[in-house]
Amino acid sequence: MDVEGLGARLHAQRLRHGLSLNELASRSEVSRSMISDIERGTKLPTVLVLARLATALGVTVSRLLGEEQPERVIMLRAAQQPAILDAAGWQRRILSPNLPGVEFEFIRTTVPPGVVIGAFAAHAPGSREYVAVEAGRLTVTLDGVYHTLDTGDALYYAGDCTHAFANPGDVECVYYTAMQVTINDHHAVLEDL
């Protein structure tokens, strides 16, 4: 991952939204010092921290990871897809490009057996998420309510709730998420995962 590029994009998004470090820290529940370190390119955030920052800014994680691609046809070879490996062993691979004015993500996630990914913050009202399990078992917790999905199962939910993921099974889980995020009321900007 391009740590310096990520820092520059985070800084630019924060300024675009007119937020101070303290305001972004308060909205994202990420410390001011961590945000400053990320913006300077001296620290690499975890997937959950990156998701909190993106959600607080009203953008997708992919918007923070890469530049916009305005072309009509975009091929993302495996080596070009932003992939983030969490210390717990799960990986998030972003399969969708950054399109101008579009806050949509298509994500492939692999989770080792017994790993709890954790909780993601609620998105702006009107946001939508779709989850489909390719292999294994996935528990999706939405505002404290558990939903267990097996191979081939799919789930839709309004993205304006706290959502958490875990693999309760004894084999690797592979699942896909499609996420459309809506306009954030704070500064009339687009909102993320």
Side-chain angles (χ1 to χ4, degrees):
M1 181 185 307
D2 174 17
V3 180
E4 289 179 13
L6 168 62
R9 286 185 290 278
L10 175 60
H11 181 76
Q13 285 293 328
R14 182 173 62 77
L15 294 181
R16 178 177 169 250
H17 292 84
L19 297 175
S20 69
L21 282 170
N22 288 335
E23 289 169 324
L24 181 55
S26 175
R27 285 186 187 181
S28 65
E29 297 182 4
V30 174
S31 75
R32 181 187 189 284
S33 63
M34 173 62 91
I35 296 168
S36 177
D37 287 345
I38 295 167
E39 285 187 358
R40 288 188 324 234
T42 60
K43 261 202 182 144
L44 184 63
T46 66
V47 178
L48 289 175
V49 166
L50 193 56
R52 284 181 183 178
L53 291 169
T55 298
L57 288 167
V59 298
T60 58
V61 169
S62 60
R63 177 102 28 229
L64 295 178
L65 292 177
E67 300 297 325
E68 284 187 357
Q69 297 170 298
E71 295 83 14
R72 288 178 46 91
V73 176
I74 301 167
M75 178 176 297
L76 293 176
R77 301 275 184 203
Q80 298 170 306
Q81 298 165 3
I84 308 167
L85 181 62
D86 190 82
W90 58 278
Q91 182 189 64
R92 182 182 210 189
R93 179 174 293 278
I94 300 171
L95 307 175
S96 53
N98 282 325
L99 302 173
V102 176
E103 294 303 325
F104 171 84
E105 274 185 327
F106 181 43
I107 303 162
R108 180 181 192 266
T109 305
T110 24
V111 189
V115 170
V116 174
I117 290 177
F120 292 86
H123 302 294
S127 299
R128 300 182 257 305
E129 294 198 27
Y130 304 83
V131 176
V133 176
E134 178 181 300
R137 174 172 276 183
L138 179 69
T139 299
V140 181
T141 307
L142 305 171
D143 283 340
V145 178
Y146 295 90
H147 305 272
T148 301
L149 288 78
D150 290 307
T151 300
D153 290 346
L155 175 71
Y156 159 80
Y157 57 92
D160 60 351
C161 64
T162 300
H163 40 289
F165 304 90
N167 177 357
D170 54 4
V171 298
E172 179 179 78
C173 175
V174 178
Y175 71 94
Y176 292 87
T177 307
M179 182 177 23
Q180 175 68 48
V181 224
T182 60
I183 293 178
N184 180 341
D185 294 338
H186 299 308
H187 290 287
V189 296
L190 296 174
E191 170 84 8
D192 157 53
L193 149 27

